Amino acid sequence: MSARTDQLPVVVIGAGPIGLAAAARLVERGIEPLVLEAGASAGAAVREWAHVRLFSPWAEVIDPAAEKLLAPTGWTRPDGAAYPTGGDWAERYLQPLADTLGDKVRYGARVTGVARAGRDRVVDAGRDEQPFTVHVESSDGQEARIAARAVIDASGTWSTPSPMGADGLPAVGEKAAADHISYRVPDLTDPAVRARYAGRRTAVVGSGASAFTALAYLADLAEREPGTHAVWILRRGITGSTYGGGEADQLPARGALGLRAKAAVEAGHASAVTGFRTQAVDTDGDSLVLRAEDGRRLDPVDEVIVLTGFRPDLSFLSELRLGLDERLQAPTALAPLIDPNVHSCGTVYPHGVKELAHPEQGVHLAGMKSYGRAPTFLALTGYEQARSITAAIAGDHESAERVELTLPETGVCGGAGLYETPDATQSGAAGGCCGAPAVLQIGADTQAPASTGGC
C-alpha cells in the first residue's frame, strides 16, 4: 500500500472481547483503530447472555494490552480467580475498555459490506495497492463509506445460530413454530421467561456447554415448579465424553457444568434422547412434536431450545477474496487445527496471523468469527490472535510469527465428534454413537457413563 494508505485507520468490526483487544493492541503499537459496533454499547452480544456464567476465570478473559490501557484510569481489576457472568464481563471490563478508547469506538454502526476501493472481487489490476472501503449503516439509517488500511473482522457468530435440522438447514416446520422455539440459553430470573418454561416440557437440542447450562437451569426450575421437565435431544449417543471433562477438566467450572447436566438426568429432571436427528417439527394443538430422519416421533413438548452452535455471517464480506475451508468456513490453514472431528478445546495448536491468512491481504477474521462453525474457541485464543494480527499490520513479522499458546485440555466441544466412528460406542454406555436411537431415563441408582473428557 502507499504511504497515504498507511495513514488510514485499521477498521475493527465488533466491540466485543476480541475486537476491543485488537484495538488495544493497535493503540499499543501507535496505529489508529476504528471499532465499529452495531449495538448501542460495548459487548452488545455478550450482554444478551448476561445471566450466563463463564467457565473461564477473570484471569483468562482480560487481555494484557487492554489491562495496560485501563490501569491509568483507576480501573479496578477483578479477582482473577473469580468467574464472571456475561453481564460482569461487559460491565466491569468491556465497557470500561471501550470508554478508555473513546471516539475510537463508534456505536450503532452496522457494517454492511467490505471491499477494495474501486475493485470488486473479480478485478486483479492494482488490487493490493487499494485501501479497503467499509460500508456502514448507522442506527438511524444513514449510510457511510470508511477507508481503511486493513480490516479485522471480530464480529463473532452470535447473530447466526444454527438451526434445529440435522442437515444444517431449518427442520420442516421450524420456522412456522418460531413462537415456541428459542436459540438462546433462557434467563429464568426474568419472570416472563420463567413462566414460559415453568411446569412445562421443554426439548433442549444440543450437546455443548450451552445445552449443559440450559439443562442445569431447567433442573433448578424443576426443583421448585412441579411438572417442569427437559427432554435432551442428542444427535449422537452417550459416551464417556458426553458430559465433558468432569473433574479432570483443567477448566474446573467447565467440568462442573457438565456434571450439573449429568445430575439433571440422574435426578429425573431431564430425559436424554440419543441418536435423534431432527427432520421436522409437527404441530399438535398447542404442543410440538419432533420427528427424526428415521420417522420416529417424540412425545409432545411445549417449548424447544435449540443450542446447536453458531456459524459466521459472511454476507458482508462477499467482495473480498477469502480462503475458507469448505466444511468449517474457517481460514483454510486454521481449519485442520480446530476441526471438532479431531480436536478438543485443549488440543488446538498454537496459531496466529500465518494460519489466519487469506488471499486478500490485509483482511483478517479474528475471534469466534475465525473459527467458523467450530465450537472449540476460548478467549485466550482470540487474544493471542489479536496480538499476532496487529504485530503483522505493524510490520513486526518476527513477533507476529512467534505464537505461544497453552490451552486447558479436555472439556466440552461440540461438532460431529465421534458420531460416524463405530469404535466410539463404549460398552455399558446406552445408546452408543452408531447404535439404534434410544430414550434414556437414568435413575439415581443407575450407573451413568463416566466423563473422561475430549470430544
Side-chain angles (χ1 to χ4, degrees):
M1 287 190 180
S2 66
R4 180 179 62 83
T5 301
D6 286 345
Q7 300 306 308
L8 296 174
V10 173
V11 165
V12 179
I13 305 174
I18 310 308
L20 291 175
R25 292 284 181 178
L26 289 166
V27 169
E28 186 177 53
R29 288 185 171 273
I31 299 172
E32 183 72 12
L34 176 59
V35 182
L36 302 177
E37 168 57 49
S41 59
V46 174
R47 293 173 190 273
E48 292 193 27
W49 48 270
H51 57 293
V52 178
R53 192 167 299 280
L54 281 72
F55 49 65
S56 295
W58 274 112
E60 296 177 4
V61 297
I62 295 174
D63 177 74
E67 186 170 2
K68 288 180 184 178
L69 270 185
L70 285 165
T73 70
W75 174 75
T76 301
R77 192 182 197 278
D79 177 6
Y83 293 86
T85 62
D88 295 334
W89 204 14
E91 289 296 333
R92 300 180 62 188
Y93 169 63
L94 299 178
Q95 193 62 58
L97 176 55
D99 292 344
T100 300
L101 290 165
D103 60 7
K104 295 177 175 63
V105 180
R106 188 177 300 176
Y107 300 110
R110 180 176 300 280
V111 174
T112 59
V114 182
R116 288 284 189 180
R119 308 289 191 278
D120 63 22
R121 68 183 296 159
V122 177
V123 178
D124 291 332
R127 186 176 191 86
D128 291 344
E129 287 71 45
Q130 298 303 312
F132 292 95
T133 56
V134 182
H135 295 220
V136 183
E137 183 177 309
S138 64
S139 53
D140 62 2
Q142 297 296 310
E143 295 184 26
R145 303 290 183 268
I146 298 171
R149 62 181 286 186
V151 175
I152 301 174
D153 182 358
S155 59
T157 57
W158 179 255
S159 64
T160 47
S162 296
M164 191 190 323
D167 60 2
L169 298 173
V172 175
E174 183 171 348
K175 293 179 181 178
D179 289 347
H180 294 281
I181 300 176
S182 170
Y183 300 85
R184 306 287 187 246
V185 175
D187 180 4
L188 298 182
T189 63
D190 182 325
V193 176
R194 185 185 182 91
R196 178 174 178 175
Y197 299 102
R200 312 187 83 185
R201 283 173 55 83
T202 300
V204 177
V205 185
S207 59
S210 295
F212 289 172
T213 303
L215 289 169
Y217 285 0
L218 291 171
D220 289 344
L221 183 62
E223 294 278 0
R224 299 169 177 80
E225 297 285 349
T228 303
H229 188 77
V231 181
W232 185 18
I233 310 297
L234 291 146
R235 293 172 179 170
R236 294 175 282 173
I238 288 184
T239 70
S241 63
T242 296
Y243 296 103
E247 295 178 359
D249 200 317
Q250 290 188 20
L251 287 177
R254 183 174 61 187
L257 186 59
L259 293 177
R260 285 188 68 190
K262 182 178 179 181
V265 175
E266 291 178 338
H269 298 313
S271 52
V273 181
T274 63
F276 192 95
R277 303 178 74 79
T278 308
Q279 183 181 64
V281 182
D282 299 326
T283 302
D284 182 7
D286 293 331
S287 301
L288 303 177
V289 175
L290 305 189
R291 180 156 41 90
E293 291 177 339
D294 61 5
R296 190 161 52 101
R297 294 161 60 93
L298 295 185
D299 291 337
V301 296
D302 302 296
E303 299 287 336
V304 181
I305 300 174
V306 181
L307 301 168
T308 52
F310 297 86
R311 54 188 61 179
D313 177 7
L314 301 168
S315 61
F316 60 88
L317 304 177
S318 62
E319 292 307 315
L320 298 178
R321 298 175 177 180
L322 301 182
L324 299 175
D325 178 75
E326 66 274 10
R327 296 170 302 158
L328 298 183
Q329 296 178 295
T332 305
L334 176 62
L337 309 183
I338 61 174
D339 186 348
N341 292 288
V342 179
H343 294 288
S344 72
C345 307
T347 63
V348 173
Y349 293 100
H351 65 274
V353 71
K354 181 179 178 181
E355 290 78 13
L356 297 169
H358 295 278
E360 191 83 68
Q361 297 179 22
V363 62
H364 312 273
L365 307 188
M368 193 67 222
K369 183 72 170 276
S370 72
Y371 271 45
R373 298 192 183 199
T376 49
F377 179 79
L378 293 173
L380 285 171
T381 308
Y383 292 154
E384 179 59 16
Q385 288 180 345
R387 187 203 63 77
S388 179
I389 288 169
T390 54
I393 292 173
D396 186 353
H397 300 293
E398 189 277 331
S399 178
E401 294 177 7
R402 190 185 65 248
V403 181
E404 298 179 2
L405 181 63
T406 302
L407 295 175
E409 295 179 357
T410 76
V412 180
C413 302
L418 303 176
Y419 179 80
E420 303 295 346
T421 307
D423 292 342
T425 305
Q426 290 192 342
S427 59
C433 294
C434 296
V439 178
L440 305 180
Q441 179 69 59
I442 304 177
D445 23 44
T446 302
Q447 182 63 41
S451 295
T452 58
C455 289

